[in-house]
Amino acid sequence: MTMQLLRLGPEGFYALRDDSGKVRYLHSDPFVDPPGSWELGRVVVDAEQVPLLVPVHPGKIVGIGRNYVNHAKELDNPIPEEPLVFLKAQSSVIGPSAPVILPPESARVDFEGEIAVILKQELYRADREQAERAVLGVTAACDVTARDLQRKDATFARAKSFDTFCPLGPSILLNPPLDELRLTTRINGEIRQQGNSRDMIFDIPALISYVSNIMSLLPGDVILTGTPEGVGPLRAGDTIEVQVQDLTPLSNPVEQQS
Ligand code: ZN
């Protein structure tokens, strides 16, 4: 049975959806209580009509560059010998349906569909097994990137962190098969990226372990695990859809800053 964790609008209550589509309120805190002890409440009536919110407000967002061979090649970058780690500002996070705003400072803003890993436990210098056990689940993300500024600047901070540059959600797949996760990005309904976590240069437990050797990871922190080949520019009026496995796609319109 696959279970999904949802955050329901407008209040932000957590709920669990099972395979049958039934949604029940969660009375436990998914970032404190171990899943085996979770207490479920009543069934959510007309759950399909309830808007979904961003599933977590992360304390930090760690990005990984060039983690798929074919994406490194398409941007003429060498295959990294160690994970290439960067940070994205928390203030860049938006939920499903919120617009990605193209800033006037950039003439080239790209989509990067990615698998986002959400952590439930504190980690410091973790090994692979500890890293795997600390995963709450995975969801979809778009690592929106001002490509021209990324090439111009010596660091990624500006290119990755404009407001609205991190759509995230909507539902978290619990107990995900970390080594076999499908990722699909569509722009205006057309498939532009198709990836699978088995094609990562550094797999998900390796990434978590590596990052935890630099900085403590805390419950609710998010790791964006890199994008497969097929990235491309966004234009005002586009709709981005990023889907992990068969979860509800993360869908966001694109607007120019007025
Ligand atoms: Zn990325």
Side-chain angles (χ1 to χ4, degrees), residues 56-61 90 219-222:
V56 62
H57 288 288
K60 59 181 167 294
I61 306 156
Q90 296 147 281
D221 283 353
V222 168

Coordinates of all heavy atoms in Angstrom, one line a residue, residues 56-61 90 219-222:
V56 N 5.6 21.3 3.1 CA 6.5 21.6 4.3 C 7.1 23.0 4.0 O 7.3 23.4 2.8 CB 7.6 20.5 4.4 CG1 8.5 20.4 3.2 CG2 8.5 20.7 5.6
H57 N 7.4 23.7 5.0 CA 8.2 24.9 4.9 C 9.6 24.6 5.4 O 9.9 24.6 6.6 CB 7.6 26.1 5.7 CG 6.4 26.6 5.2 ND1 6.3 27.4 4.0 CD2 5.1 26.5 5.5 CE1 5.1 27.7 3.7 NE2 4.3 27.1 4.6
P58 N 10.5 24.3 4.5 CA 11.8 23.7 4.9 C 12.7 24.8 5.6 O 12.6 26.0 5.3 CB 12.5 23.3 3.6 CG 11.7 24.0 2.5 CD 10.4 24.4 3.0
G59 N 13.5 24.3 6.6 CA 14.4 25.2 7.2 C 15.6 25.5 6.3 O 16.1 26.6 6.3
K60 N 15.9 24.5 5.4 CA 16.9 24.8 4.4 C 16.6 23.9 3.2 O 16.0 22.9 3.3 CB 18.3 24.7 4.8 CG 18.8 23.4 5.3 CD 20.3 23.5 5.8 CE 20.7 22.3 6.6 NZ 20.0 22.3 7.9
I61 N 17.0 24.5 2.0 CA 16.8 23.7 0.8 C 18.2 23.5 0.2 O 18.9 24.5 -0.2 CB 16.0 24.5 -0.2 CG1 14.6 24.9 0.4 CG2 15.8 23.7 -1.5 CD1 14.0 26.0 -0.3
Q90 N 15.0 29.8 1.4 CA 13.7 29.3 1.8 C 12.6 30.2 1.2 O 11.5 29.7 1.0 CB 13.5 29.4 3.4 CG 14.4 28.6 4.2 CD 14.8 29.4 5.5 OE1 15.6 30.3 5.5 NE2 14.1 29.0 6.5
P219 N 14.8 18.0 10.7 CA 13.4 17.6 10.2 C 12.8 18.7 9.4 O 12.8 19.9 9.8 CB 12.6 17.4 11.5 CG 13.7 17.1 12.6 CD 14.9 17.9 12.2
G220 N 12.3 18.4 8.2 CA 11.7 19.3 7.3 C 12.6 19.9 6.3 O 12.2 20.5 5.3
D221 N 13.9 19.6 6.4 CA 14.9 20.1 5.4 C 14.6 19.3 4.1 O 14.2 18.2 4.1 CB 16.3 19.9 5.9 CG 16.8 20.9 6.8 OD1 16.0 21.9 7.1 OD2 17.9 20.8 7.4
V222 N 14.9 20.0 3.0 CA 14.6 19.4 1.7 C 15.9 19.3 0.9 O 16.7 20.3 0.9 CB 13.6 20.3 0.9 CG1 13.5 19.9 -0.5 CG2 12.2 20.2 1.6

